[in-house]
Amino acid sequence: MKTAHCVPVVMYHHISPEIGPITTSPKNFDDQMKGLVDAGYSTLTCDEFADFLAGKPTPPKSVLLTFDDGYLDNWVHAHPILKKYGLRASMFVVTGLIGDGPIRPCAEQDGVTLPRLPSHLECRALWTAGSTDSAMLRWSEIQAMRAAGTFEFHCHTYTHTRWDLVSKTREECLAHMRHEFEASHALLKEHLGGGSQHFCWPQGYFADDYVNLAQAFGFRYLYTTQTHGQNLCAKNSTHIYRISVKNRGARWFLHRIWIASHPVVGPLYNKWQSWKRKLRG
Ligand SMILES: [Zn+2]
């Protein structure tokens, strides 16, 4: 069997008609997903991606779709579009921001009034104000997406805090991170019944001692926000690269995935982009 050389991991945050940073419109997301199906791509689960990293044969046109934080708009817009195309994605949730309560309407149902979706900046303001329900998912919605097979859920800490920036000492910082792992693991176990080996760094920050700590908690697959590298078969599972998606249609999306996974073009593109970034300082 011909196998994938590289599996691109795609990173989304918001799927929403509200314009803002790290936001893809439902129309463009629909176009991107249709593009994947039309081009014959398979969307992997995190376990299938882990098998690829371990050297197991994987279809050449494979991609892992990931979503960060756990925004309400993922239920309202991303879930129905994934369901329509029979695709799967993985979500890294900030467990302390997930609420309780009944399922809210989503775009799958015709003629319903959809909840108002705050923009990214409004969501961050709601986090700061400690009023997250109108911005973030509820456990009931997470369970519904899990049952539908559109999303699986993994850990993105309990509070999403950059403890390295607010702690007085490194020991204090690591103690906070230990609590992040313990508290989020307990909530995921309570609501979803099991742990996972996949973890995504909050705000993209990590260091060697963070990696050691995550591994001590059983996380073997660590997802970064670094774009310019390839996820290759039998390579380092503690440094997974992800492509940040733009608010553009299928043509841009498929071209970006093609570049990311190409054995020659991919590394050249990444070198060029890293060089440009260095020049910009
Ligand atoms: Zn995040």
Side-chain angles (χ1 to χ4, degrees), residues 130-148:
S131 170
T132 54
D133 188 53
S134 59
M136 308 306 286
L137 292 167
R138 294 176 177 171
W139 288 106
S140 56
E141 291 151 355
I142 285 179
Q143 268 144 4
M145 289 189 272
R146 205 174 174 222

Side-chain angles (χ1 to χ4, degrees), residues 128-221:
T128 309
S131 170
T132 54
D133 188 53
S134 59
M136 308 306 286
L137 292 167
R138 294 176 177 171
W139 288 106
S140 56
E141 291 151 355
I142 285 179
Q143 268 144 4
M145 289 189 272
R146 205 174 174 222
T150 50
F151 277 101
E152 58 180 59
F153 295 88
H154 301 281
C155 184
H156 192 35
T157 70
Y158 183 68
T159 68
H160 206 263
T161 306
R162 278 282 305 267
W163 289 110
D164 59 299
L165 297 179
V166 293
S167 302
K168 286 194 190 79
T169 64
R170 197 66 190 173
E171 286 69 33
E172 187 191 320
C173 168
L174 290 175
H176 281 300
M177 278 306 283
R178 208 166 285 125
H179 175 255
E180 294 280 345
F181 285 123
E182 281 164 359
S184 50
H185 177 75
L187 270 177
L188 284 172
K189 198 167 175 212
E190 180 192 337
H191 291 280
L192 304 180
S196 122
Q197 297 184 323
H198 301 264
F199 175 80
C200 174
W201 299 113
Q203 304 183 52
Y205 172 80
F206 62 95
D208 285 348
D209 51 6
Y210 268 41
V211 172
N212 293 338
L213 194 59
Q215 286 177 318
F217 276 91
F219 293 108
R220 292 183 58 197
Y221 304 95

Side-chain angles (χ1 to χ4, degrees), residues 1 21 33 48 51 87 97 122-123 132 136 151 157 169-170 184-185 195 215 220 235 237 242-243 259 277 279:
M1 170 186 171
M33 295 304 102
E48 288 167 344
D51 285 343
L87 297 175
L97 303 180
E122 285 175 305
C123 285
T132 54
M136 308 306 286
F151 277 101
T157 70
T169 64
R170 197 66 190 173
S184 50
H185 177 75
Q215 286 177 318
R220 292 183 58 197
K235 285 282 169 162
S237 63
R242 294 190 297 163
I243 303 165
I259 289 174
R277 180 168 283 192
L279 275 191

Side-chain angles (χ1 to χ4, degrees), residues 13-25 120 245-247:
H13 286 81
H14 297 274
I15 305 297
S16 170
E18 284 297 320
I19 293 166
I22 53 172
T23 303
T24 304
S25 70
H120 178 67
V245 177
K246 291 187 177 166
N247 186 19

